[in-house]
Amino acid sequence: MTSVLIADDQPLQRFGFRMLLESQDDLTVLGEATDGTEAVRMTAELRPDVVLMDVRMPGLDGIAATRRIINAGHRTRVLIVTTFDLDEYAYAGLRAGASGFLIKDAHPEDVLSGIRAVASGDAVVAPSLTRRLLDAYVELLPAPRKDTPPHADPRLASLTDREREILTVIGQGWTNAEISARFHLAESTVKTHVTRILAKTGSRDRIQAVILAYDTRLVRPS
């Protein structure tokens, strides 16, 4: 059973999320928060597996609330679900530690699969945002020093050649199935490699691994 806290300042939106989640046998709603401050407090008290987090809320907004929840060290993961298809919200939310970002016009099944994905340690970003988000993000990176060898970042030092290859295609948005087909590996083997990559690089989830691939310039925008 995956436990969820709903954080949204709109009563009708909270009601809709609750109805959707309670229709599923494997999901349970622990509570509802009406603003970011309440979301942080209730997360500390209830320790949900996932917080469904709105962005624009009175007082403490969803981005700041996400940052506080993640910095507190709880096992809770945050899935931001917002009305606004804006890159700056997605970028800020993911950098704050959210494990996913969806738009509220997503199909109900996409919201449900997103909750399950982040609860299991994976990550999800609305497809319409992914390439725009990463291409915009890479523009903010400082230019590499001329005397720095390619991919010399110490965060990559412990990776094997195979793990570095897999991190590269993760950064390009490849799924485990696509990695399995490209490298002729069983999907279970790919999952093992991904787990080791996350552990060795200190990445919390797949999204953080994608950001790392861009940070270290294993991947560049198309």
Side-chain angles (χ1 to χ4, degrees):
M1 183 70 71
T2 297
S3 58
V4 182
L5 173 68
I6 300 168
D8 198 297
D9 64 326
Q10 298 294 321
L12 186 59
Q13 191 68 59
R14 295 197 306 273
F15 177 77
F17 279 139
R18 178 179 281 275
M19 291 292 290
L20 174 63
L21 301 184
E22 290 183 343
S23 70
Q24 305 297 302
D25 293 337
D26 62 329
L27 302 176
T28 183
V29 178
L30 294 186
E32 300 177 11
T34 59
D35 58 38
T37 300
E38 194 171 28
V40 173
R41 177 182 59 79
M42 293 181 71
T43 298
E45 292 175 357
L46 302 175
R47 304 296 177 92
D49 296 311
V50 178
V51 178
L52 270 186
M53 183 74 77
D54 189 21
V55 172
R56 288 188 175 180
M57 295 185 287
L60 192 70
D61 66 30
I63 304 299
T66 295
R67 186 176 297 108
R68 292 190 186 184
I69 289 169
I70 298 304
N71 289 345
H74 305 312
R75 62 176 177 79
T76 300
R77 296 179 180 272
V78 177
L79 175 59
I80 292 178
V81 185
T82 181
T83 306
F84 304 98
D85 181 7
L86 298 177
D87 296 343
E88 58 265 34
Y89 285 163
Y91 173 76
L94 298 177
R95 293 299 289 179
S99 294
F101 189 100
L102 292 175
I103 310 302
K104 285 181 180 176
D105 64 0
H107 294 294
E109 58 268 25
D110 292 334
V111 175
L112 294 172
S113 63
I115 291 170
R116 295 180 177 112
V118 300
S120 68
D122 209 337
V124 60
V125 178
S128 63
L129 287 169
T130 304
R131 177 52 58 187
R132 299 199 328 257
L133 177 69
L134 293 175
D135 285 357
Y137 169 73
V138 86
E139 294 299 323
L140 302 177
L141 295 175
R145 290 174 48 183
K146 293 182 179 180
D147 59 346
T148 301
H151 318 322
D153 192 289
R155 289 172 292 180
L156 304 179
S158 63
L159 298 182
T160 65
D161 290 342
R162 174 64 83 191
E163 289 166 350
R164 192 171 294 209
E165 287 178 328
I166 290 176
L167 176 58
T168 300
V169 294
I170 288 175
Q172 294 168 347
W174 289 51
T175 66
N176 284 354
E178 290 168 334
I179 296 170
S180 172
R182 171 169 177 169
F183 293 108
H184 307 290
L185 299 171
E187 280 199 49
S188 59
T189 302
V190 174
K191 290 179 181 178
T192 299
H193 280 305
V194 172
T195 299
R196 288 175 178 167
I197 289 167
L198 298 183
K200 287 182 178 182
T201 61
S203 301
R204 187 182 58 259
D205 53 36
R206 203 179 187 99
I207 282 182
Q208 296 300 309
V210 171
I211 291 175
L212 174 66
Y214 273 72
D215 274 342
T216 56
R217 292 178 170 78
L218 284 175
V219 177
R220 293 182 179 274
S222 56

